[in-house]
Amino acid sequence: MEVRKNLETQDILKMPIISEAISDISTEVISRKSFIPQRCDVFESPCTFLEETDHFEFKIHPEARKQLPDIINNKVQIIRGTDFGDLERKNNYTRKRNIGIVFSGGPAPGGHNVIAGLFDAAKRANPESSVFGFLMGPDGIIENETIELTQDLVDSHRNLGGFSMIKTGRTKIDTQEKMALSSQTLTSLQMDALVVVGGDDSNTNAAFLAQEMYHKKVQIIGVPKTIDGDIQVRDSQANVLCAISFGFHSAAHAFAKSISNLATDCSSDVKYWHVCKVMGRVASHLALETALQCHPNITLIGEDLADYIDHRRIEKAEKENTVDYTAFGMTLRHLSRVLCDAIVRRAAVGKNYGVLVIPEGVLEFINEIQTFIIKLNTIIADYNRIYDIPFHEEFPLLEDKLDYLRRLARMSREKSDFSVWNTRDDDLFNDIPAFFQEGLLTERDAHGNFQFSQVPTEKVLMELVKNYLVILRDEGRYKIGIAESWYKKTMSKSGADPDIYGPLLFNNYGQSEFLMIKPEIISRKTLKQVLENEGMLQENKNVPEPLKKVFEKSVPKFKTQTHFYGYDGRGSDPTWFDCTYTYNLGLTVFSLIANGATGQMATIRNLEHGFDRWEPMGVPIAPMMHLEERKGKLELVLERSIVDVKSTAFQVVKSLREKWLAAVPGKECYRIASPNVLSGNNIEDRPLILKLNSLNG
Ligand code: FBP
């Protein structure tokens, strides 16, 4: 007989098969780290130069010209490969440099490869050059917190997600004092250049830093990062200079993967609606891409809702010779009705389950909520301008904040020139649930953005949906369709004639594969009444069991599971697209620095096409800026791009809406998203929205 030894835990841990299996480094990570992203052709040359072009034009905002005079006339610079040529060029290109890099804002898959590309290019040009990482985001610049990046450190993060190598933060360099401290850090460290990897706000910061450091000869280069995908740069002729920010593809892919698992789940146990909120602070690009990758039953696109026109209201108003302003843009209530309609239609064909995708920023596109956001932004900003203690410190509790709003509403009655918060606003605001009031009053981020990730958007919407479904159920309009075959089998099994009861129970008996119980039958009591009225049941008798069974099966329970897809996708490992894109962005950054550029954003043109057409370039940041409301006042910022409802990608999703809703008997259209492999040889090797949008030019 085999004698089993009693092993100590420490001995078990030393066994190679065990230590390998539970090592901190999985086989996936090992293979990822060894992946070598392809380099764009220009980077195969020993040296690069910048070809300035006037081909692209920008409509420059006068305020940008005023505030950013030294970088406003920057041009688009295309990176070209070359030999070293003369000695001067060689010396300049390969001189020893100190380059700093900082991550700013939310993490996005691929950031480590920007560092890797920059590091490799800098060391290739001159092994004596140093690359420093500023720690914890812009705070690292303000407070002079850096580490010098080593080969080992860089190698251990290649092709891996997150920003963990140097961390990130959301601080904005928005005061004279912070700007002076940043300038001091950069000069004291003798930095030749600083690379700001960030979203619209961080690239805005980069432009202001570039202006500040222009005469101090520290170059500043931005890199377009954000999973939200809202940095999409076009010139005034709509030529695409940067089709998408990095991180978008990986995050969307991760969301799609998880959501397609939910589709498999709900179509198996057929009892839940999975409500999936996906990140994207304002723009719905992530929701759109996710929809294309996994075909949920319903995907809301915020930008589409803002464009909504209620033609029935307009017609009615026209007949009455008036104008109905509420006919433009969708209200929260109307949206909940649209969702209910889709849920009811699926239930009618026996599908009381499904997958719903809601973009995080959807409320920004809902009329009345947008108004609240703007009003509250103004109120909080005004308060902070006047008083010493900031609004959120002075009024930490919701009740205190509501009290303050009430005081403002009273003031509006007394002072005719005070209109930002009146009694009607206060009444409407008091009508919404406390958790949502709290969300709307939540602190704005350092850049003045409303923090949608902190607001349970899906809860707000689903509460309205649930309430309305109860009404529809009580009116007999929300019912689960009964498969005719099941009905006949159930009745026949107990000896009842299905054809006798069919016309009494259903309003479409013999006409459809799925039978709808008559609207007047909404309970066992009403079922009994109908049978009695039709002379099929005596008053003192019970409803026959099979009829009860059929009725029970038609009663819908609306059960939801809510999910938030954001931080998980943001922390996912980069796809082949993002690995390759970001590595080449890092190489681009070095080329821009080595050729003296500043105030430029590194981009790669033609991302919507195959890799062999990718074209690295530097795009001027200042000319792309415009004025936007932030913290209640207008500020110069980089313009964000939202979903264009005329785009091919949106139109394709729109045209497939009915198909994906699948409110017909039979199969679902769910699509299982492909795995995240580094071969770059699958149909989703780049964002599907890019593929589609490139078809029209
Ligand atoms: P960035 O624009 O900084 O890349 O961040 C985008 C984002 O991921 C949004 O989608 C989300 O609303 C937000 O960050 C969440 O922010 P936080 O990390 O502060 O919770």
mmCIF file of all heavy atoms in Angstrom, residues 104-108 170 199-200 202 225-228 230 279-281 286 360 451-454 567 570, ligand 1:
data_model
loop_
_atom_site.group_PDB
_atom_site.id
_atom_site.type_symbol
_atom_site.label_atom_id
_atom_site.label_comp_id
_atom_site.label_asym_id
_atom_site.label_seq_id
_atom_site.Cartn_x
_atom_site.Cartn_y
_atom_site.Cartn_z
ATOM 1 N N SER A 104 -0.712 60.946 -16.790
ATOM 2 C CA SER A 104 -1.663 61.870 -16.187
ATOM 3 C C SER A 104 -3.096 61.407 -16.471
ATOM 4 O O SER A 104 -3.417 61.051 -17.600
ATOM 5 C CB SER A 104 -1.401 63.253 -16.798
ATOM 6 O OG SER A 104 -2.293 64.187 -16.292
ATOM 7 N N GLY A 105 -3.923 61.367 -15.430
ATOM 8 C CA GLY A 105 -5.308 60.921 -15.606
ATOM 9 C C GLY A 105 -5.447 59.428 -15.378
ATOM 10 O O GLY A 105 -4.577 58.778 -14.788
ATOM 11 N N GLY A 106 -6.552 58.881 -15.861
ATOM 12 C CA GLY A 106 -6.828 57.462 -15.639
ATOM 13 C C GLY A 106 -5.868 56.563 -16.404
ATOM 14 O O GLY A 106 -5.423 56.919 -17.484
ATOM 15 N N PRO A 107 -5.540 55.389 -15.852
ATOM 16 C CA PRO A 107 -4.679 54.461 -16.580
ATOM 17 C C PRO A 107 -5.319 54.025 -17.908
ATOM 18 O O PRO A 107 -6.538 54.062 -18.055
ATOM 19 C CB PRO A 107 -4.581 53.249 -15.647
ATOM 20 C CG PRO A 107 -5.027 53.727 -14.319
ATOM 21 C CD PRO A 107 -5.972 54.858 -14.556
ATOM 22 N N ALA A 108 -4.475 53.618 -18.840
ATOM 23 C CA ALA A 108 -4.958 53.109 -20.134
ATOM 24 C C ALA A 108 -3.956 52.070 -20.627
ATOM 25 O O ALA A 108 -2.748 52.324 -20.574
ATOM 26 C CB ALA A 108 -5.092 54.248 -21.140
ATOM 27 N N ARG A 170 -4.332 62.764 -11.033
ATOM 28 C CA ARG A 170 -5.184 63.677 -11.805
ATOM 29 C C ARG A 170 -4.937 65.157 -11.508
ATOM 30 O O ARG A 170 -5.741 66.002 -11.891
ATOM 31 C CB ARG A 170 -6.655 63.359 -11.517
ATOM 32 C CG ARG A 170 -7.166 62.122 -12.211
ATOM 33 C CD ARG A 170 -8.675 62.123 -12.301
ATOM 34 N NE ARG A 170 -9.164 60.892 -12.881
ATOM 35 C CZ ARG A 170 -9.234 60.667 -14.194
ATOM 36 N NH1 ARG A 170 -8.867 61.607 -15.042
ATOM 37 N NH2 ARG A 170 -9.677 59.522 -14.641
ATOM 38 N N GLY A 199 -4.966 62.543 -21.355
ATOM 39 C CA GLY A 199 -6.160 62.781 -22.155
ATOM 40 C C GLY A 199 -6.253 64.235 -22.589
ATOM 41 O O GLY A 199 -5.247 64.958 -22.620
ATOM 42 N N ASP A 200 -7.471 64.672 -22.884
ATOM 43 C CA ASP A 200 -7.652 66.041 -23.379
ATOM 44 C C ASP A 200 -7.145 67.074 -22.378
ATOM 45 O O ASP A 200 -6.431 68.013 -22.740
ATOM 46 C CB ASP A 200 -9.121 66.285 -23.739
ATOM 47 C CG ASP A 200 -10.068 65.902 -22.621
ATOM 48 O OD1 ASP A 200 -9.699 65.060 -21.782
ATOM 49 O OD2 ASP A 200 -11.181 66.444 -22.565
ATOM 50 N N SER A 202 -4.971 66.658 -19.939
ATOM 51 C CA SER A 202 -3.527 66.568 -19.705
ATOM 52 C C SER A 202 -2.754 67.130 -20.891
ATOM 53 O O SER A 202 -1.701 67.752 -20.722
ATOM 54 C CB SER A 202 -3.118 65.120 -19.471
ATOM 55 O OG SER A 202 -3.982 64.548 -18.521
ATOM 56 N N LYS A 225 -3.683 59.722 -24.763
ATOM 57 C CA LYS A 225 -4.101 58.546 -23.975
ATOM 58 C C LYS A 225 -5.498 58.741 -23.439
ATOM 59 O O LYS A 225 -5.839 59.839 -23.023
ATOM 60 C CB LYS A 225 -3.115 58.388 -22.805
ATOM 61 C CG LYS A 225 -3.555 57.421 -21.756
ATOM 62 C CD LYS A 225 -3.782 58.017 -20.353
ATOM 63 C CE LYS A 225 -4.814 59.067 -20.177
ATOM 64 N NZ LYS A 225 -5.306 59.260 -18.806
ATOM 65 N N THR A 226 -6.323 57.814 -23.489
ATOM 66 C CA THR A 226 -7.557 57.696 -22.699
ATOM 67 C C THR A 226 -8.384 56.553 -23.279
ATOM 68 O O THR A 226 -8.560 56.467 -24.501
ATOM 69 C CB THR A 226 -8.428 58.975 -22.625
ATOM 70 O OG1 THR A 226 -9.665 58.615 -21.979
ATOM 71 C CG2 THR A 226 -8.758 59.605 -23.959
ATOM 72 N N ILE A 227 -8.854 55.707 -22.380
ATOM 73 C CA ILE A 227 -9.692 54.604 -22.848
ATOM 74 C C ILE A 227 -10.975 55.151 -23.463
ATOM 75 O O ILE A 227 -11.612 54.479 -24.265
ATOM 76 C CB ILE A 227 -10.030 53.606 -21.717
ATOM 77 C CG1 ILE A 227 -10.835 54.273 -20.608
ATOM 78 C CG2 ILE A 227 -8.785 52.939 -21.182
ATOM 79 C CD1 ILE A 227 -11.577 53.275 -19.732
ATOM 80 N N ASP A 228 -11.352 56.375 -23.078
ATOM 81 C CA ASP A 228 -12.625 56.934 -23.553
ATOM 82 C C ASP A 228 -12.646 57.136 -25.072
ATOM 83 O O ASP A 228 -13.714 57.257 -25.665
ATOM 84 C CB ASP A 228 -12.914 58.276 -22.879
ATOM 85 C CG ASP A 228 -13.231 58.105 -21.402
ATOM 86 O OD1 ASP A 228 -13.148 56.963 -20.913
ATOM 87 O OD2 ASP A 228 -13.542 59.107 -20.743
ATOM 88 N N ASP A 230 -11.869 59.695 -26.738
ATOM 89 C CA ASP A 230 -12.396 60.980 -27.206
ATOM 90 C C ASP A 230 -11.326 61.952 -27.690
ATOM 91 O O ASP A 230 -11.614 63.105 -27.975
ATOM 92 C CB ASP A 230 -13.310 61.627 -26.146
ATOM 93 C CG ASP A 230 -12.634 61.768 -24.798
ATOM 94 O OD1 ASP A 230 -11.416 61.542 -24.721
ATOM 95 O OD2 ASP A 230 -13.327 62.080 -23.815
ATOM 96 N N MET A 279 -17.550 52.458 -19.135
ATOM 97 C CA MET A 279 -16.908 53.766 -18.963
ATOM 98 C C MET A 279 -16.935 54.599 -20.237
ATOM 99 O O MET A 279 -17.145 54.083 -21.336
ATOM 100 C CB MET A 279 -15.463 53.592 -18.521
ATOM 101 C CG MET A 279 -15.279 53.801 -17.045
ATOM 102 S SD MET A 279 -13.544 53.871 -16.625
ATOM 103 C CE MET A 279 -13.668 53.886 -14.839
ATOM 104 N N GLY A 280 -16.624 55.815 -20.036
ATOM 105 C CA GLY A 280 -16.633 56.821 -21.093
ATOM 106 C C GLY A 280 -17.317 57.998 -20.438
ATOM 107 O O GLY A 280 -18.541 58.050 -20.394
ATOM 108 N N ARG A 281 -16.494 58.910 -19.880
ATOM 109 C CA ARG A 281 -17.046 59.976 -19.047
ATOM 110 C C ARG A 281 -18.125 60.765 -19.770
ATOM 111 O O ARG A 281 -19.182 61.037 -19.219
ATOM 112 C CB ARG A 281 -15.915 60.910 -18.622
ATOM 113 C CG ARG A 281 -16.232 61.774 -17.438
ATOM 114 C CD ARG A 281 -15.365 62.999 -17.407
ATOM 115 N NE ARG A 281 -13.977 62.689 -17.661
ATOM 116 C CZ ARG A 281 -13.075 62.425 -16.729
ATOM 117 N NH1 ARG A 281 -13.427 62.420 -15.472
ATOM 118 N NH2 ARG A 281 -11.820 62.179 -17.054
ATOM 119 N N LEU A 286 -16.830 54.044 -26.380
ATOM 120 C CA LEU A 286 -16.591 52.697 -25.831
ATOM 121 C C LEU A 286 -17.842 51.829 -25.953
ATOM 122 O O LEU A 286 -17.752 50.649 -26.278
ATOM 123 C CB LEU A 286 -16.156 52.789 -24.365
ATOM 124 C CG LEU A 286 -14.668 53.080 -24.127
ATOM 125 C CD1 LEU A 286 -14.412 53.452 -22.676
ATOM 126 C CD2 LEU A 286 -13.784 51.916 -24.537
ATOM 127 N N GLU A 360 -21.439 55.261 -19.557
ATOM 128 C CA GLU A 360 -21.317 55.967 -18.274
ATOM 129 C C GLU A 360 -21.824 57.410 -18.341
ATOM 130 O O GLU A 360 -22.466 57.902 -17.432
ATOM 131 C CB GLU A 360 -19.828 55.961 -17.915
ATOM 132 C CG GLU A 360 -19.458 56.614 -16.636
ATOM 133 C CD GLU A 360 -17.943 56.615 -16.465
ATOM 134 O OE1 GLU A 360 -17.212 57.168 -17.323
ATOM 135 O OE2 GLU A 360 -17.480 56.059 -15.482
ATOM 136 N N GLN A 451 -17.920 63.928 -12.426
ATOM 137 C CA GLN A 451 -17.378 62.572 -12.283
ATOM 138 C C GLN A 451 -18.475 61.519 -12.461
ATOM 139 O O GLN A 451 -19.028 61.015 -11.485
ATOM 140 C CB GLN A 451 -16.705 62.429 -10.923
ATOM 141 C CG GLN A 451 -15.599 63.448 -10.727
ATOM 142 C CD GLN A 451 -14.657 63.048 -9.619
ATOM 143 O OE1 GLN A 451 -14.041 61.995 -9.650
ATOM 144 N NE2 GLN A 451 -14.574 63.877 -8.603
ATOM 145 N N PHE A 452 -18.745 61.194 -13.711
ATOM 146 C CA PHE A 452 -19.829 60.263 -13.997
ATOM 147 C C PHE A 452 -19.597 58.886 -13.392
ATOM 148 O O PHE A 452 -20.536 58.181 -13.073
ATOM 149 C CB PHE A 452 -20.045 60.138 -15.506
ATOM 150 C CG PHE A 452 -20.876 61.258 -16.053
ATOM 151 C CD1 PHE A 452 -20.305 62.283 -16.765
ATOM 152 C CD2 PHE A 452 -22.242 61.289 -15.808
ATOM 153 C CE1 PHE A 452 -21.067 63.330 -17.242
ATOM 154 C CE2 PHE A 452 -23.018 62.326 -16.283
ATOM 155 C CZ PHE A 452 -22.432 63.348 -17.002
ATOM 156 N N SER A 453 -18.306 58.509 -13.247
ATOM 157 C CA SER A 453 -18.049 57.162 -12.715
ATOM 158 C C SER A 453 -18.562 57.036 -11.279
ATOM 159 O O SER A 453 -18.749 55.943 -10.778
ATOM 160 C CB SER A 453 -16.564 56.834 -12.787
ATOM 161 O OG SER A 453 -15.844 57.785 -12.049
ATOM 162 N N GLN A 454 -18.778 58.161 -10.605
ATOM 163 C CA GLN A 454 -19.257 58.128 -9.217
ATOM 164 C C GLN A 454 -20.787 58.106 -9.127
ATOM 165 O O GLN A 454 -21.342 58.042 -8.046
ATOM 166 C CB GLN A 454 -18.770 59.368 -8.437
ATOM 167 C CG GLN A 454 -17.324 59.738 -8.629
ATOM 168 C CD GLN A 454 -16.401 58.770 -7.944
ATOM 169 O OE1 GLN A 454 -16.662 58.368 -6.829
ATOM 170 N NE2 GLN A 454 -15.335 58.371 -8.611
ATOM 171 N N TYR A 567 -13.001 50.120 -14.501
ATOM 172 C CA TYR A 567 -11.662 49.993 -13.934
ATOM 173 C C TYR A 567 -10.993 48.690 -14.371
ATOM 174 O O TYR A 567 -9.784 48.645 -14.579
ATOM 175 C CB TYR A 567 -11.729 50.111 -12.415
ATOM 176 C CG TYR A 567 -12.289 51.457 -11.995
ATOM 177 C CD1 TYR A 567 -13.615 51.588 -11.577
ATOM 178 C CD2 TYR A 567 -11.517 52.603 -12.071
ATOM 179 C CE1 TYR A 567 -14.138 52.834 -11.244
ATOM 180 C CE2 TYR A 567 -12.026 53.842 -11.741
ATOM 181 C CZ TYR A 567 -13.343 53.958 -11.329
ATOM 182 O OH TYR A 567 -13.855 55.181 -11.015
ATOM 183 N N ARG A 570 -9.840 49.122 -17.920
ATOM 184 C CA ARG A 570 -8.781 50.126 -17.910
ATOM 185 C C ARG A 570 -7.451 49.503 -17.484
ATOM 186 O O ARG A 570 -6.387 49.932 -17.871
ATOM 187 C CB ARG A 570 -9.207 51.204 -16.914
ATOM 188 C CG ARG A 570 -8.770 52.566 -17.226
ATOM 189 C CD ARG A 570 -9.524 53.550 -16.385
ATOM 190 N NE ARG A 570 -9.053 53.592 -15.014
ATOM 191 C CZ ARG A 570 -9.322 54.590 -14.175
ATOM 192 N NH1 ARG A 570 -10.061 55.605 -14.570
ATOM 193 N NH2 ARG A 570 -8.893 54.578 -12.947
HETATM 194 P P1 FBP B 1 -8.925 59.707 -18.575
HETATM 195 O O1 FBP B 1 -9.713 60.604 -19.466
HETATM 196 O O2 FBP B 1 -8.086 60.409 -17.606
HETATM 197 O O3 FBP B 1 -8.130 58.721 -19.382
HETATM 198 O O4 FBP B 1 -9.920 58.830 -17.706
HETATM 199 C C1 FBP B 1 -11.059 58.288 -18.255
HETATM 200 C C2 FBP B 1 -11.821 57.483 -17.269
HETATM 201 O O5 FBP B 1 -11.415 56.145 -17.302
HETATM 202 C C3 FBP B 1 -13.306 57.633 -17.548
HETATM 203 O O6 FBP B 1 -13.778 56.686 -18.445
HETATM 204 C C4 FBP B 1 -13.919 57.563 -16.176
HETATM 205 O O7 FBP B 1 -15.091 58.330 -16.110
HETATM 206 C C5 FBP B 1 -12.880 58.185 -15.308
HETATM 207 O O8 FBP B 1 -11.654 57.936 -15.931
HETATM 208 C C6 FBP B 1 -12.856 57.626 -13.904
HETATM 209 O O9 FBP B 1 -11.994 58.410 -13.160
HETATM 210 P P2 FBP B 1 -11.360 58.017 -11.756
HETATM 211 O O10 FBP B 1 -10.154 57.211 -12.060
HETATM 212 O O11 FBP B 1 -10.988 59.319 -11.181
HETATM 213 O O12 FBP B 1 -12.381 57.268 -10.982
#
